[in-house]
């Protein structure tokens, strides 16, 4: 199966969009890079947040090309300020897709790294305790990782603890 067919099987029908591919499924919209250094970068977001996903994949792809190497699994890309206007998103986690089966994460020897938008408190947690602790917290708390306008998972935890 060709790589774009593999992506379309999991993400929905795809069309070329500048340097990327745009895929649209019933629950989310995704942008994917072409294969670079044995990887494809993907970002999935809520419908209507296409511009954000396109920007995040393009920014990460620029870093990959500048560094001349792919992203490590659970690698965090940080920024000193929000990456997206009117959001708390200041970084990205290169990981498995949080809403698709494990078979999505590779095809024909190519690794597929999903870019998960992160907030400052989430980056702090990953720095302090490891990205695997952060992904475990995501599994436990179930934040909407497709929504780039979401707040930090910690705000939700502290609010529920105070209620």
């Amino acid at each position: 199966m060709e790589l774009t067919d593999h992506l379309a099987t999991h993400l929905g029908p795809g069309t070329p969009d500048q340097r990327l591919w745009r895929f649209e499924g019933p629950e989310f919209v995704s942008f994917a890079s072409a294969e670079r250094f044995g990887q494809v970068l993907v970002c999935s977001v809520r419908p209507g947040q296409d511009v954000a996903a396109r920007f995040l994949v393009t920014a990460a792809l620029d870093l990959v090309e500048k560094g001349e190497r792919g992203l490590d699994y659970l690698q965090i890309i940080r920024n000193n300020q929000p990456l997206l206007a009117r959001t708390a998103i200041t970084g990205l986690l290169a990981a498995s897709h949080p809403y698709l089966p494990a078979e999505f994460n590779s095809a024909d020897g190519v690794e597929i790294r999903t870019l998960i938008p992160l907030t400052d408190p989430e980056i702090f947690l990953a720095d302090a305790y490891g990205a695997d602790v952060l992904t475990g917290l995501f599994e436990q708390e179930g934040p909407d990782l497709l929504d780039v306008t979401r707040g930090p998972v910690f705000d939700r935890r502290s609010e529920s603890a105070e209620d």
Side-chain angles (χ1 to χ4, degrees):
M1 177 183 296
E2 195 171 313
L3 185 57
T4 53
D5 293 333
H6 173 81
L7 293 170
T9 297
H10 294 279
L11 301 174
T15 54
D17 182 279
Q18 300 170 22
R19 294 174 37 190
L20 310 176
W21 276 80
R22 180 186 185 279
F23 297 90
E24 186 165 357
E27 296 179 20
F28 50 82
V29 175
S30 303
F31 279 82
S33 69
E35 183 270 325
R36 294 291 290 147
F37 305 105
Q39 291 182 343
V40 169
L41 304 179
V42 172
C43 184
S44 298
V45 296
R46 288 274 160 232
Q49 297 179 351
D50 303 39
V51 172
R54 181 186 301 116
F55 173 80
L56 294 173
V57 173
T58 300
L61 183 60
D62 289 345
L63 288 173
V64 163
E65 289 176 343
K66 184 177 180 180
E68 297 184 354
R69 63 183 295 271
L71 299 176
D72 293 330
Y73 180 69
L74 297 182
Q75 180 177 341
I76 293 178
I77 300 170
R78 295 166 184 76
N79 201 39
N80 295 339
Q81 57 190 359
L83 289 166
L84 304 167
R86 298 178 303 281
T87 75
I89 302 303
T90 58
L92 298 167
L93 174 67
S96 301
H97 199 289
Y99 302 112
L100 294 175
E103 68 189 40
F104 170 74
N105 300 311
S106 67
D108 295 327
V110 176
E111 297 174 340
I112 300 170
R113 294 282 191 252
T114 298
L115 304 171
I116 300 171
L118 298 178
T119 63
D120 270 343
E122 294 159 353
I123 293 170
F124 175 79
L125 177 74
D127 284 345
Y129 301 102
D132 54 335
V133 171
L134 176 62
T135 59
L137 183 62
F138 285 159
E139 289 175 19
Q140 178 184 340
E141 294 296 315
D144 184 357
L145 299 175
L146 299 171
D147 185 1
V148 298
T149 64
R150 72 177 176 83
V153 71
F154 300 114
D155 288 352
R156 294 174 355 121
R157 286 176 59 97
S158 61
E159 287 172 7
S160 63
E162 293 171 2
D163 290 344

